[in-house]
Amino acid sequence: MSLVLKMHDFDLNIKNLSKIEGHATLKIKVRKDKVENVKLIVEENRRFFEEGIIGKNYQTIPQTVSRICGTCSVAHLTCASEAIERALKVDISRQTLVMRKLSLMGMNLRDHAMHLYFFVLPDILGKESVLDFNKEEHHFLREGFEMKAAGNLLTKLVGGRAIHPMFAQVGHFSKVPESSKIKETIEKLKKAREKCFDIMDIMESYESNFRRKTNYIAIADDNYTFLTGRIFDSKGWSVSEENVGNYLKEIVIPYSQGIGYELKNKEFLTGAIARMNINSNSLHQETRKDIRKYLRIFPTHDIYKNNLAQAIENLHCIDSSIEILESEEFKEEKKPDIKISESEGVGVVEAPRGLLYNRFKIDKNGRILKSKIVTPTAQNQIRMENDIRQLVEDNLDKSEEQIRILVEELIRSYDPCMTCASRFLKLKWI
Amino acid sequence: MKKLKIGIFAFTSDEGCIMQILESLNSTFEELKDYLDIRHFRLLIPKKEMQKMDVAFIEGAISTKKDLELLKKIRENSKKIVAIGSCAINGVPSNMRNSFDEKTKSKIKSFLEKFEHFDTVEPIEKYIEVDEKINGCPISEENFIICLKKYIDEFGVKNA
Ligand code: SF4
């Protein structure tokens, strides 16, 4: 980080932002009390996934796009499977759907826990890193690991492992959960449940004065599943998964030659805060019962509350998966028949950081002809940069060090994923 | 007390192996923390000047000049280098562009030039000596811990 100070005429550069997923650098230029530009530069080396899957057989696609991002691999894999199944008109069983919901919830739990305990908590406690926690704070580290472990176990139970789960296939899972492991998973989830409340308290009191109204979008269904339902915005407008692409516009960010997204020609926000703003009524009833005081906070325009939203979702994921695991009888099933045809399909799921959109065109031999992948961080890009710009302008009376801290906290509240962003944002190459 | 000085780095990759490392610590961190001095791990610790390490764990393949410079610096500063995951070991799957057809290659060419990407994405062994490899995409949690414990023993950390 370097700061060159003149009276409200400065450059703020933060190289290699830490405690976010992936590599990024931030550059802000202020001249005469005006923010001339904000560049959040994704430093991840692009790996050309959209180009790379062209010509590949549809069956290999979910496991390939899973490698777009380690931490949210389950979302990429599930979204691609859904898109291909829609294209090829594959009917998946109820059990497969249930297992997908479980694996997504396991991932959310693991990923949110990493973000909350390892990335955000150091900001709140004024520490450089989770490794600097003192004796009194050390229990947070333990709880973070415990929460992550519960999510890990849940995804492993269903998919075989937490990162790039190999049992998840187009149309089905190649294995059913073992009953002995189900018991163990339920126990771990129940233990993790007890730990959910302290972190919620902390995230409730973590807030900022910064507000910018925006539109939010999220998939909403009656059970807050991260998988099924229509896509709603905060004004009540809704659209099907298949058609949401018609409203998402790729736009060039003028000062950075980048690509971001607008919904109906306006900036918007996706992620845990959007899901909670739109669909908190559908949280698991046990969750709702225990968090009434936090529910009143939503809808909110305080982006710091994205952290509280994630903490609440963790409890919801635990309650929902315990209920499913206690009631579901998993049995071996026949694979669905898949007939290859020239076709096109869309998949949309809620990744931990928001809406993930896949669209594939398949040729008559089952090979990918065209692909489109829109990640949550790309969708939030415009909103995030506009926020940083406004935040800096609002705080020009503060020291540069204070501004740096505020900006970093804001970025971390968004929980951006640069590993995802780099594949699809041209923005980084400034 | 003597500690094993380690660094964890990611190059061109999806950080999936790094995630597995973080997962492997869920149940082992309490037991291992007193033996470890984690010097570099961007995911958790802000960047600082390169320090001396006993073991550096490296994920990802090498695709830019910047990657290569950092890789060499790590080699100079670490007694052992462990390549983790198939991206680091053989480039796959981060090297997809190596096998693109000419048409696609020419489409991405100006982009690659602008950001000093090399013509091909390569495993780390092409550029530096590697002491050990942990295979997998991703590596397994267990194999990482086995390897870590081995170095804790090898560097005489527990007996110190
Ligand atoms: S080897 Fe696989 S899991 Fe590991 S970084 Fe590379 S793509 Fe990710």
Side-chain angles (χ1 to χ4, degrees):
Chain A
M1 189 208 63
S2 64
L3 282 170
V4 186
L5 166 74
K6 268 201 221 159
M7 264 311 278
H8 302 165
D9 223 13
F10 63 89
D11 295 310
L12 174 66
N13 293 327
I14 310 171
K15 269 199 132 186
N16 266 309
L17 282 160
S18 136
K19 292 169 282 174
I20 57 167
E21 218 304 297
H23 302 64
T25 290
L26 179 72
K27 291 188 178 175
I28 301 171
K29 188 171 166 188
V30 176
R31 292 293 176 270
K32 298 203 181 85
D33 283 357
K34 268 255 160 272
V35 179
E36 276 192 6
N37 59 42
V38 171
K39 293 174 178 174
L40 187 59
I41 307 167
V42 184
E43 304 270 16
E44 288 287 323
N45 289 326
R46 199 157 174 196
R47 296 183 301 151
F48 303 99
F49 269 87
E50 274 174 313
E51 292 86 351
I53 59 177
I54 302 298
K56 298 269 155 56
N57 185 281
Y58 75 90
Q59 279 170 317
T60 65
I61 300 307
Q63 287 292 335
T64 304
V65 298
S66 183
R67 269 75 183 173
I68 287 170
C69 175
T71 191
C72 56
S73 56
V74 178
H76 285 279
L77 160 58
T78 308
C79 189
S81 305
E82 191 178 88
I84 292 166
E85 288 151 8
R86 285 232 176 87
L88 300 178
K89 301 196 171 46
V90 182
D91 274 333
I92 61 162
S93 70
R94 199 193 60 87
Q95 179 171 296
T96 297
L97 203 64
V98 167
M99 285 169 73
R100 284 193 182 156
K101 289 173 184 170
L102 288 172
S103 64
L104 284 168
M105 288 193 279
M107 168 190 58
N108 263 287
L109 191 51
R110 187 181 51 69
D111 193 73
H112 285 353
M114 173 175 77
H115 178 243
L116 295 172
Y117 291 90
F118 294 10
F119 299 174
V120 179
L121 211 46
D123 277 347
I124 297 175
L125 299 175
K127 297 285 153 80
E128 268 213 327
S129 129
V130 69
L131 301 173
D132 298 327
F133 284 3
N134 62 28
K135 264 209 183 101
E136 287 77 55
E137 295 155 350
H138 182 74
H139 69 98
F140 287 124
L141 182 61
R142 257 196 336 260
E143 287 162 21
F145 276 127
E146 232 176 276
M147 196 78 79
K148 248 155 48 57
N152 179 311
L153 205 63
L154 179 58
T155 305
K156 217 182 249 172
L157 172 78
V158 180
R161 79 185 157 211
I163 316 291
H164 308 317
M166 61 284 191
F167 299 159
Q169 307 286 334
V170 175
H172 73 296
F173 281 83
S174 60
K175 257 186 132 171
V176 284
E178 290 170 34
S179 43
S180 61
K181 290 192 181 151
I182 293 176
K183 260 210 200 119
E184 185 196 342
T185 309
I186 294 174
E187 272 164 32
K188 267 259 162 71
L189 288 166
K190 284 188 173 161
K191 277 189 87 180
R193 190 182 199 281
E194 297 161 15
K195 307 284 155 47
C196 287
F197 299 95
D198 278 357
I199 193 82
M200 267 189 243
D201 267 344
I202 295 171
M203 295 303 158
E204 184 206 8
S205 48
Y206 185 47
E207 58 188 353
S208 73
N209 302 323
F210 182 73
R211 301 281 185 280
R212 265 188 68 234
K213 282 199 174 159
T214 199
N215 195 14
Y216 299 87
I217 67 167
I219 299 179
D221 64 358
D222 294 344
N223 298 308
Y224 205 117
T225 63
F226 305 94
L227 182 63
T228 50
R230 283 173 74 79
I231 293 146
F232 283 80
D233 79 353
S234 37
K235 299 179 189 107
W237 170 84
S238 82
V239 64
S240 68
E241 289 192 5
E242 285 91 333
N243 291 330
V244 68
N246 301 337
Y247 299 89
L248 282 173
K249 192 168 89 191
E250 215 175 75
I251 73 150
V252 173
I253 301 173
Y255 50 84
S256 67
Q257 310 163 49
I259 299 249
Y261 284 88
E262 285 183 343
L263 179 81
K264 298 187 286 177
N265 301 318
K266 295 219 172 74
E267 63 160 51
F268 66 100
L269 190 67
T270 178
I273 189 174
R275 294 188 288 257
M276 279 296 294
N277 277 350
I278 290 168
N279 201 28
S280 66
N281 282 338
S282 302
L283 290 167
H284 194 276
Q285 55 186 17
E286 291 296 317
T287 305
R288 287 184 59 81
K289 215 168 68 197
D290 287 347
I291 59 151
R292 285 204 203 290
K293 64 173 172 169
Y294 306 122
L295 283 176
R296 282 196 294 271
I297 294 169
F298 297 92
T300 174
H301 291 293
D302 177 6
I303 183 66
Y304 281 40
K305 288 290 174 290
N306 193 42
N307 300 306
L308 176 63
Q310 289 189 346
I312 291 173
E313 286 190 346
N314 275 356
L315 184 64
H316 163 78
C317 288
I318 290 174
D319 286 334
S320 306
S321 40
I322 290 175
E323 187 187 328
I324 293 174
L325 291 174
E326 282 179 341
S327 59
E328 198 72 26
E329 303 237 347
F330 295 98
K331 38 184 188 304
E332 297 284 346
E333 290 183 326
K334 210 172 119 277
K335 271 201 252 179
D337 286 334
I338 300 182
K339 270 213 220 85
I340 297 167
S341 64
E342 211 178 310
S343 54
E344 200 169 333
V346 169
V348 184
V349 305
E350 283 285 345
R353 294 166 185 78
L355 218 64
L356 172 64
Y357 173 92
N358 280 194
R359 179 188 197 127
F360 299 121
K361 206 169 179 173
I362 301 174
D363 73 10
K364 61 178 192 315
N365 299 311
R367 286 188 304 236
I368 301 298
L369 267 179
K370 263 190 177 172
S371 74
K372 179 88 206 149
I373 298 175
V374 183
T375 62
T377 298
Q379 296 170 60
N380 284 342
Q381 193 75 27
I382 297 174
R383 162 88 200 164
M384 195 162 30
E385 290 190 343
N386 288 344
D387 267 9
I388 296 170
R389 175 184 291 267
Q390 167 106 52
L391 181 74
V392 173
E393 272 177 12
D394 288 356
N395 288 283
L396 283 171
D397 56 328
K398 301 223 167 59
S399 76
E400 282 75 5
E401 178 61 11
Q402 284 169 320
I403 294 176
R404 180 190 66 81
I405 292 172
L406 282 173
V407 169
E408 282 203 36
E409 285 183 354
L410 179 86
I411 294 174
R412 271 196 274 283
S413 293
Y414 267 96
D415 190 13
C417 177
M418 297 305 156
T419 320
C420 282
S422 75
R423 261 89 252 169
F424 315 102
L425 272 186
K426 294 178 182 112
L427 171 79
K428 61 182 196 160
W429 316 108
I430 298 172
Chain B
M1 183 177 156
K2 193 177 165 195
K3 293 184 174 192
L4 185 73
K5 301 186 262 304
I6 65 167
I8 296 165
F9 299 89
F11 288 100
T12 307
S13 68
D14 77 347
E15 302 211 337
C17 290
I18 298 260
M19 288 301 150
Q20 287 290 81
I21 291 181
L22 210 54
E23 290 308 305
S24 75
L25 295 173
N26 288 344
S27 57
T28 58
F29 188 75
E30 286 302 313
E31 171 202 347
L32 296 177
K33 66 177 194 307
D34 295 336
Y35 305 121
L36 297 178
D37 173 2
I38 304 177
R39 300 198 149 187
H40 295 281
F41 192 176
R42 189 213 45 83
L43 191 66
L44 302 184
I45 315 170
K47 187 186 152 124
K48 49 189 179 220
E49 285 302 305
M50 183 76 71
Q51 300 177 38
K52 294 278 174 213
M53 291 163 282
D54 297 320
V55 191
F57 296 91
I58 301 182
E59 173 198 89
I62 303 302
S63 53
T64 63
K65 209 168 118 193
K66 225 162 129 194
D67 279 357
L68 183 56
E69 279 161 14
L70 179 60
L71 180 72
K72 286 186 173 156
K73 211 163 160 193
I74 298 168
R75 178 70 273 189
E76 283 161 21
N77 284 282
S78 187
K79 293 182 188 135
K80 299 279 178 190
I81 298 282
V82 182
I84 54 169
S86 83
C87 290
I89 295 172
N90 56 40
V92 177
S94 290
N95 63 359
M96 278 194 291
R97 71 172 166 88
N98 293 1
S99 51
F100 282 179
D101 59 20
E102 289 310 315
K103 202 175 125 210
T104 318
K105 271 190 182 153
S106 69
K107 228 172 75 187
I108 65 173
K109 192 164 171 253
S110 62
F111 175 90
L112 295 180
E113 279 168 1
K114 190 166 171 193
F115 299 99
E116 301 184 307
H117 278 239
F118 296 138
D119 287 346
T120 54
V121 180
E122 299 289 345
I124 63 174
E125 213 170 8
K126 169 157 180 191
Y127 300 109
I128 61 162
E129 200 184 320
V130 169
D131 300 289
E132 188 170 345
K133 299 169 184 172
I134 308 179
N135 280 302
C137 177
I139 58 168
S140 77
E141 297 170 40
E142 294 75 19
N143 287 346
F144 174 73
I145 294 299
I146 291 170
C147 179
L148 190 60
K149 285 187 172 163
K150 191 189 87 178
Y151 284 114
I152 288 176
D153 286 344
E154 204 176 300
F155 280 84
V157 171
K158 276 199 173 168
N159 317 326

